[in-house]
Amino acid sequence: MTVTFSRTRPVESVNPIGAATRRREGTLALELDSPERSDVSFAAENGLLVVSHTLTDVEPAAWVLSPEEALKEHGRPGWRLTLLDDGDREAVLDAAARTRCAFVRTGRSAVESLAARLSLPGLSTSVSVFVDDVEQGLAAVAAGASDLLLRDWDAERIGQLRDALGGRDLIERSVFGPVSVDEARAELPGDLFAAWLRQVDASGWARPRVDWAPGDAKPIPVRGHRFSSAWTDEAWVSGRPPAGLAGAGPLFPILEASLEGKQPDVAALEALLGARGDQVDAVVWTADRLRARTVGDEATYVVNRNINYTNLCYFRCGFCAFSKGPRSLDLRGEPYLMGLEEIVGNAVEAWERGATEVTLQGGIHPDFTGDFYAEVVEAIKAALPQMHIHGFTPLEVWQGAHTLGVTVKDFLIRLRDAGLGTLPGTAAEILDDRVREHLCPDKIRTSQWADVMITAHELGLRATATIMFGHIDDPASWARHLEVIRAIQRRTGGFTEMVPLPFVHMGSPIYLRGRARPGPTWDEVVLIHAVSRIAFDGSIPNIQASWVKLGTDGAARMLGAGANDIGGTLMGERITRAAGAAHGQEMSPEELEGVIRSAGRQPRRRDTVYGVVQPSG
């Protein structure tokens, strides 16, 4: 049984200082009898949502209404509505059935009788009740309540309730239950949608209260013995997860089958990606064993340089803080375009510093044709015949072929013959067109990305695979993305690695416009790496952790969650920094080896396709 709770507080009015204070204390919802527009606005600006107890011209995030009043809001989705139990059995049942309300709120003494009424077929409504201490919470749950309303509970008391509930899962919700981004986007006014996005994780539950995000320089939110940061009370933070698969709960059969070499299907992947609390550590335990079985205890890195040749781009990807198109010149940095001489000079400098790879990525300049990409490869190879060129996303390949009026295959042949070695898997973002429609509406779709990759693999050009997550996606879209990569890999075997790329939100336009979450949670980062190892067991042997996104401590922890590679030295990476990341733009080989050793692993320098460059030692 799952028990939900909401940190809500009744107030008479809202002001900016009070709203900010309540948010810092952990409150997510403020309840008012009859809110004014200013109440709703002040709350939303500070990441809170207002619940109204009356029907007025002001639209709150949700309502708590009598059966009679609730029926007047029959056109609203039930997830925005809580029904008050007024003691009239027939009236409550009628309103609950017709409105499909998420919750019916009652007093503690009436929980048992209401729970019996709401257990009828055709209803999926939770009994909700205010409780003031752990004893009251346990009694309410024993009587049939499945949603608890908490006023002024701190993290320690909530942790006590979690532990006292024993085998029941305790999950915090926002004003709503686990609503999807698509539902919320379609229903909520813009300011309320933005406030909700700041409160929730990818599954629509409340985010853990940890002061960390990808790209942030703050310490990672876990200690050495636990991977999940689901809770912040001392008992959780300093405690240890159940050993092995003991905490897996309903995920046990999936994880057990994975250890036996059976790849999870898409539904099972979605379940794994929605793991919470102790389940996260069970997923990690499984992934780490598969990692050890597949690649042993070595962890790899490559000495390389990123050459981001232009930040001018005519595509309008909402997540991108790097590109500078005509409508975004107010963002970080000035527009630039490198000439061939500068690009080659960067490559030569990298070679002289020991790099075996240059990675070529940039914006799609409005003046570019496919000739530019081919000329860059030819120029680098003329100066550095032994340098491996890892370049051009499927979007650049598609655009390059289109501008020249040739097929993708013919253009890839030209690039390959000019000296292109491998393709980066970026421009994938989330390979689910339901998400791409809002995240990168004018970019290539999933089928086109897959077509470029399949064609490249068939021509002997291997590639990396990536997933950029934590914005407007969810476990279902992550699972579909992993399945797209698996389908391509089953057909071609051309992917060398999987690289999870957490969304860095700070400078991202889609976040600044209030249309995306503030990056993935720590647990979501852990799960993407661990589930990638499980999903690709037997097909893609290498999982990379990005120190640029996660910092060195975060990347080191991922080496215990299924990853076996921490990327490259980079020498001047610009894209993640433009999004607001605080981590450095370059790491020396010695620094990367130190990170690997800190995780208890043996470092090995590799080339782009995971061949040995320098023995470990």
Side-chain angles (χ1 to χ4, degrees):
M1 174 184 174
T2 296
V3 177
T4 61
F5 72 94
S6 175
R7 286 189 250 190
T8 185
R9 183 178 178 84
V11 296
E12 294 183 359
S13 63
V14 183
N15 62 65
I17 295 176
T21 300
R22 294 304 176 197
R23 187 69 172 88
R24 285 195 299 271
E25 292 171 348
T27 300
L28 294 183
L30 299 175
E31 299 197 14
L32 289 84
D33 286 338
S34 184
E36 301 289 338
R37 179 61 211 171
S38 59
D39 296 319
V40 175
S41 296
F42 289 148
E45 288 167 4
N46 288 280
L48 294 169
L49 293 172
V50 164
V51 180
S52 176
H53 284 245
T54 57
L55 294 173
T56 68
D57 292 337
V58 175
E59 184 173 358
W63 293 266
V64 178
L65 301 172
S66 68
E68 181 181 0
E69 291 291 289
L71 288 172
K72 296 178 183 178
E73 283 296 294
H74 186 23
R76 295 289 188 181
W79 49 265
R80 297 184 70 180
L81 181 62
T82 293
L83 191 67
L84 281 173
D85 177 20
D86 64 358
D88 185 328
R89 182 180 189 277
E90 285 72 21
V92 171
L93 281 178
D94 184 57
R98 294 182 186 281
T99 64
R100 298 184 179 276
C101 60
F103 309 99
V104 177
R105 183 180 297 184
T106 193
R108 290 192 297 274
S109 63
V111 167
E112 188 170 4
S113 61
L114 178 62
R117 280 181 275 159
L118 296 182
S119 64
L120 293 168
L123 292 177
S124 57
T125 300
S126 296
V127 176
S128 186
V129 60
F130 274 102
V131 294
D132 296 324
D133 55 40
V134 173
E135 184 178 354
Q136 288 181 4
L138 294 177
V141 171
S146 56
D147 183 68
L148 304 178
L149 305 173
L150 312 182
R151 286 174 289 212
D152 299 327
W153 283 46
D154 61 17
E156 296 304 314
R157 191 151 47 129
I158 293 171
Q160 292 167 12
L161 174 63
R162 176 200 64 233
D163 294 341
L165 284 170
R168 298 181 179 91
D169 291 327
L170 184 66
I171 303 178
E172 184 177 5
R173 64 176 175 90
S174 69
V175 171
F176 320 120
V179 180
S180 73
V181 169
D182 296 324
E183 291 175 293
R185 184 192 296 114
E187 174 65 19
L188 296 177
D191 57 343
L192 303 188
F193 180 52
W196 175 79
L197 284 167
R198 289 162 64 186
Q199 294 185 354
V200 299
D201 63 16
S203 296
W205 296 111
R207 298 174 73 90
R209 307 302 201 278
V210 295
D211 192 18
W212 175 89
D216 200 325
K218 295 183 177 67
I220 61 175
V222 290
R223 297 178 187 171
H225 46 263
R226 189 186 285 280
F227 275 88
S228 173
S229 68
W231 306 94
T232 58
D233 60 288
E234 185 59 27
W236 179 269
V237 173
S238 62
R240 293 182 179 274
L245 297 182
L251 302 179
F252 182 89
I254 302 172
L255 297 176
E256 185 179 47
S258 298
L259 291 169
E260 295 171 355
K262 301 173 185 175
Q263 283 193 346
D265 62 17
V266 175
L269 289 177
E270 182 178 350
L272 293 177
L273 290 162
R276 312 192 76 79
D278 288 335
Q279 295 173 357
V280 173
D281 282 273
V283 173
V284 167
W285 185 86
T286 304
D288 196 46
R289 270 134 196 85
L290 295 179
R291 182 271 310 160
R293 190 166 72 192
T294 302
V295 295
D297 287 330
E298 284 190 334
T300 53
Y301 70 95
V302 64
V303 179
N304 66 344
R305 180 169 199 160
N306 273 18
I307 302 178
N308 307 125
Y309 39 79
T310 184
N311 63 354
L312 286 159
C313 188
Y314 65 85
F315 284 86
R316 299 184 301 277
C317 301
F319 60 87
C320 185
F322 174 71
S323 69
K324 306 290 178 272
R327 298 180 183 176
S328 58
L329 296 179
D330 58 326
L331 295 179
R332 187 192 313 268
E334 294 296 325
Y336 72 86
L337 172 62
M338 292 183 180
L340 278 179
E341 183 177 348
E342 184 178 3
I343 294 172
V344 173
N346 273 265
V348 169
E349 181 184 6
W351 179 264
E352 291 172 348
R353 295 176 59 188
T356 57
E357 169 199 305
V358 288
T359 299
L360 303 174
Q361 291 187 96
I364 309 296
H365 193 288
D367 295 335
F368 279 0
T369 70
D371 289 334
F372 170 82
Y373 303 118
E375 288 166 3
V376 168
V377 174
E378 290 165 352
I380 292 174
K381 278 295 186 179
L384 301 166
Q386 301 305 310
M387 179 69 84
H388 184 100
I389 300 177
H390 181 62
F392 312 128
T393 71
L395 175 62
E396 291 165 297
V397 171
W398 189 276
Q399 185 263 358
H402 175 74
T403 58
L404 296 177
V406 300
T407 65
V408 165
K409 181 178 181 179
D410 286 343
F411 185 52
L412 282 169
I413 290 173
R414 179 179 174 185
L415 292 175
R416 181 198 63 187
D417 293 349
L420 182 65
T422 51
L423 271 67
T426 41
E429 286 46 277
I430 296 295
L431 295 172
D432 182 338
D433 290 343
R434 171 179 63 89
V435 176
R436 297 180 78 80
E437 180 181 349
H438 298 278
L439 185 68
C440 45
D442 55 351
K443 219 167 189 177
I444 56 175
R445 290 295 190 251
T446 299
S447 59
Q448 295 166 298
W449 189 94
D451 180 60
V452 172
M453 283 300 187
I454 290 170
T455 304
H457 295 172
E458 290 174 344
L459 293 172
L461 291 166
R462 303 191 73 187
T464 61
T466 68
I467 179 170
M468 196 274 288
F469 63 99
H471 33 77
I472 57 173
D473 44 1
D474 53 30
S477 62
W478 299 339
R480 294 186 190 112
H481 181 107
L482 297 182
E483 179 57 23
V484 169
I485 301 300
R486 287 201 303 198
I488 296 172
Q489 189 71 349
R490 285 192 292 266
R491 179 168 171 175
T492 68
F495 289 122
T496 60
E497 64 182 356
M498 177 64 178
V499 189
L501 299 171
F503 172 54
V504 176
H505 73 282
M506 288 77 83
S508 175
I510 194 171
Y511 173 74
L512 296 174
R513 292 196 301 265
R515 309 295 288 179
R517 298 188 304 277
T521 67
W522 170 262
D523 284 24
E524 289 166 350
V525 170
V526 170
L527 285 168
I528 290 287
H529 287 81
V531 177
S532 291
R533 170 61 66 187
I534 294 169
F536 299 123
D537 184 44
S539 61
I540 301 177
N542 303 299
I543 308 297
Q544 182 184 126
S546 170
W547 65 264
V548 177
K549 311 286 187 181
L550 298 174
T552 54
D553 288 346
R557 288 307 304 272
M558 293 308 110
L559 292 179
N564 67 298
D565 185 84
I566 58 171
T569 55
L570 296 184
M571 301 183 195
E573 192 276 341
R574 302 189 188 199
I575 294 175
T576 303
R577 294 281 287 186
H583 306 305
Q585 296 175 277
E586 179 176 348
M587 292 278 283
S588 69
E590 293 75 20
E591 288 172 317
L592 287 180
E593 291 187 2
V595 172
I596 292 169
R597 289 194 177 95
S598 75
R601 307 281 288 282
Q602 183 69 17
R604 176 174 66 80
R605 189 181 300 187
R606 64 170 174 87
D607 63 17
T608 307
V609 294
Y610 284 81
V612 175
V613 170
Q614 176 177 298
S616 59

